[in-house]
Amino acid sequence: LPIAAAAVALTLAARPRDARSADRHIDWMGGVLLVLGLPAFVFGIQQLGPERDAGAAASVEETPQERLAKCDAVLDERTLDELEAQLGREIVASLVDDYAATSDQLQADIAAARAAGDLAAWTRAVHSLKSAAANMGLARVFVLARDAEAAGEAQDASTLAVLSDRLTAPAAEGVAALRMRYTPSEDAAP
């Protein structure tokens, strides 16, 4: 408020007078409404911020990764439903085969990097598996791979090893769940 008052005073003092402004009057009511209304407007905008209202944060849709992190199921059906809506069921069914091959290759890459003691390559392979699992809605694989990636980034090889060992079963369960949803006989061309 002191800065605003100084700005108004400076404007009144520095503004050159002209013939038309001599017969004009200051709109005091407009000034009062501006001085009172602007802070009220700013306060209202601040009240809409998520840090001020937990309800506002709840109205923002969570990301797919946040949803996967909360999911207890092997497969997040909503992720696949959204993928089907965007690409079509046939294309998603073909992505299942691609994911199965990619998952097997990434698990082989994880094992090779681990055997070589290459923490950077190990972490990259876990990151790739995490991303692929997220794309296919495989919640358990996503969470384990996310945590393994964080361990690798923290240079914690022992935790990365434990989490990498735990990836095998959920990865197999995930591929089985995908194949069950997209059975070859149902998706085969006539």
Side-chain angles (χ1 to χ4, degrees):
L1 197 56
I3 293 173
V8 170
L10 183 61
T11 301
L12 291 175
R15 185 169 169 245
R17 301 272 181 207
D18 61 18
R20 284 189 315 161
S21 66
D23 57 327
R24 285 188 169 173
H25 299 287
I26 296 177
D27 179 12
W28 290 107
M29 183 57 81
V32 168
L33 289 175
L34 178 67
V35 169
L36 294 176
L38 189 57
F41 174 75
V42 170
F43 177 76
I45 295 295
Q46 289 174 340
Q47 291 301 313
L48 295 175
E51 65 279 349
R52 301 282 287 166
D53 182 11
S59 68
V60 175
E61 188 172 331
E62 65 187 354
T63 66
Q65 292 81 7
E66 291 169 337
R67 187 175 65 236
L68 286 172
K70 294 177 184 177
C71 183
D72 289 331
V74 171
L75 190 62
D76 177 43
E77 300 287 340
R78 182 173 167 195
T79 299
L80 291 170
D81 292 342
E82 290 172 357
L83 204 54
E84 285 180 20
Q86 293 171 356
L87 303 174
R89 184 168 175 82
E90 297 79 24
I91 293 174
V92 176
S94 71
L95 291 176
V96 169
D97 292 329
D98 293 342
Y99 172 79
T102 300
S103 175
D104 290 343
Q105 180 59 52
L106 289 171
Q107 289 182 67
D109 293 348
I110 289 169
R114 180 180 183 176
D118 187 346
L119 194 61
W122 191 356
T123 303
R124 280 193 306 274
V126 169
H127 168 80
S128 296
L129 183 59
K130 174 194 79 171
S131 298
N135 289 336
M136 297 306 294
L138 299 175
R140 291 181 186 160
V141 176
F142 168 78
V143 169
L144 281 170
R146 179 200 63 194
D147 295 347
E149 179 185 19
E153 289 173 349
Q155 306 292 309
D156 184 355
S158 62
T159 302
L160 179 56
V162 169
L163 293 171
S164 294
D165 290 341
R166 290 184 189 165
L167 277 168
T168 306
E173 290 172 357
V175 169
L178 286 169
R179 292 207 187 279
M180 184 169 266
R181 178 172 169 142
Y182 299 97
T183 57
S185 61
E186 178 183 330
D187 296 315

